[in-house]
Amino acid sequence: MKKLVTLALVVMMVAMTACASAATVGICQLVQHAALDQATQGFKDALSEKMPDVEFDEQNASGDAVNCATIVNTFVSNGVDLIMANATPALQAAVAATGDIPILATSITEYGVALGIDDFAGVTGMNVSGTSDLAPLSEQAAMVKELFPDAKKVGLLYCSAEANSIYQVKVVSEELAALGYETEEFAFTDSNDVASVSALAAGDCDVIYIPTDNTAAAYTETIANEVIPAGVPVIAGEEGICAGCGVATLTISYYDIGYATGLMAYEILANGADVSQMPIEYAPQFVKKYNPANIEALGLPVPEGYAAIGA
């Protein structure tokens, strides 16, 4: 009887130790759309492969920055071991919530802009690191010249509440001006005015550029319903937006940057890496893609050297 009791105690202690050693990661994703979904999946796949017993508390903020704050504050109260913030508002909320728990972000275009760091040089020096979804903006602007050399005016369509969208639009606007295009910004404030602002842009421009904007990504069908009937092509900052309302993009793999973020998480959780000294990582490659359905709908030729989305 004593042996059975002893054995039971040993089993219980082993089980308790196993539970105590399992790392818990809180995931705050701003909104559900293809790009962010792929980044989250890549993160979970990479970390699960390295740490099969890791526990995820995955939450979606439904596009609301206030929800991001509520989610990450709950993570902090629950004492998670690491926070993964997917998109800029999620990262900003996490930074406001804790200066101690390691934060890894993904789907962030420019960390200096997102975190308000002047002269950002690749390392935050705080409890934050992660991966960037920045594609070469000069090359995206050059696609307008390549595909639509006779266009006169390019509309820049984006959400004014997204700091990284503002950054991209500023850079692309300068690049387009250097290529001889007239540009005009068309900013919606949230999902409520996506349709009306998209209609204004479609009625006033020859081509539209949309950066890696989360609100736009979540409402591509709304945008497509305005731009396609108007016969106005969209150059998009990433594949998900292009698949919904665009004709062409220079894109990254969001799954890949999410996966890279997961590997960073492993280094922190398993090997004690200092997040404050981990350099921001960038996508290893960029691919030109086109949307066959919208190319056909607008009567445009298939661009040479571009891969078809969904092929």
Side-chain angles (χ1 to χ4, degrees):
M1 189 68 178
K2 289 182 179 179
K3 289 182 179 180
L4 289 174
V5 172
T6 302
L7 180 60
L9 288 172
V10 169
V11 171
M12 289 177 61
M13 290 177 66
V14 170
M16 290 174 64
T17 301
C19 290
S21 63
T24 303
V25 175
I27 299 174
C28 179
Q29 180 174 317
L30 173 64
V31 67
Q32 184 175 10
H33 63 69
L36 298 190
D37 291 349
Q38 290 164 17
T40 292
Q41 191 61 55
F43 175 82
K44 291 167 62 181
D45 286 352
L47 190 52
S48 295
E49 288 169 12
K50 292 285 191 178
M51 302 179 68
D53 62 344
V54 67
E55 297 176 358
F56 297 108
D57 183 353
E58 184 177 349
Q59 302 292 329
N60 193 294
S62 302
D64 191 334
V66 175
N67 288 344
C68 287
T70 301
I71 290 167
V72 295
N73 279 316
T74 301
F75 290 161
V76 173
S77 297
N78 291 341
V80 299
D81 298 294
L82 184 143
I83 295 172
M84 195 281 264
N86 194 349
T88 297
L91 170 60
Q92 292 169 334
V95 170
T98 178
D100 301 316
I101 298 173
I103 299 167
L104 287 177
T106 192
S107 313
I108 310 297
T109 303
E110 221 296 321
Y111 279 77
V113 172
L115 298 174
I117 301 174
D118 294 332
D119 301 320
F120 180 65
V123 175
T124 69
M126 54 194 295
N127 62 319
V128 176
S129 189
T131 55
S132 170
D133 64 358
L134 180 65
L137 298 176
S138 60
E139 294 182 32
Q140 290 186 348
M143 290 171 63
V144 178
K145 191 71 170 180
E146 175 190 0
L147 300 178
F148 307 105
D150 297 327
K152 303 298 182 184
K153 186 174 182 179
V154 180
L156 304 161
L157 182 64
Y158 67 101
C159 179
S160 60
E162 298 191 31
N164 280 301
S165 294
I166 296 170
Y167 167 79
Q168 291 172 83
V169 162
K170 179 179 183 297
V171 173
V172 171
S173 178
E174 293 170 352
E175 294 286 346
L176 289 170
L179 293 172
Y181 290 102
E182 178 187 355
T183 64
E184 184 176 349
E185 295 183 15
F186 294 86
F188 43 83
T189 56
D190 54 33
S191 60
N192 294 317
D193 57 346
V194 170
S196 60
V197 175
S198 298
L200 287 174
D204 199 37
C205 302
D206 304 308
V207 180
I208 291 172
Y209 171 79
I210 303 176
T212 54
D213 184 286
N214 289 298
T215 307
Y219 291 90
T220 56
E221 183 177 355
T222 302
I223 297 171
N225 288 340
E226 301 297 337
V227 300
I228 299 300
V232 179
V234 169
I235 299 295
E238 55 93 4
E239 181 175 346
I241 296 174
C242 188
C245 63
V247 297
T249 183
L250 178 65
T251 189
I252 67 166
S253 165
Y254 277 80
Y255 181 87
D256 286 352
I257 63 170
Y259 195 94
T261 312
L263 296 180
M264 296 173 75
Y266 172 74
E267 291 301 322
I268 293 168
L269 295 171
N271 298 324
D274 182 354
V275 65
S276 70
Q277 298 305 310
M278 298 178 79
I280 302 302
E281 297 186 15
Y282 294 83
Q285 60 181 355
F286 311 96
V287 182
K288 285 184 174 181
K289 293 191 174 185
Y290 74 95
N291 182 329
N294 287 347
I295 284 284
E296 181 179 357
L298 295 176
L300 299 171
V302 173
E304 185 177 347
Y306 286 65
I309 292 176

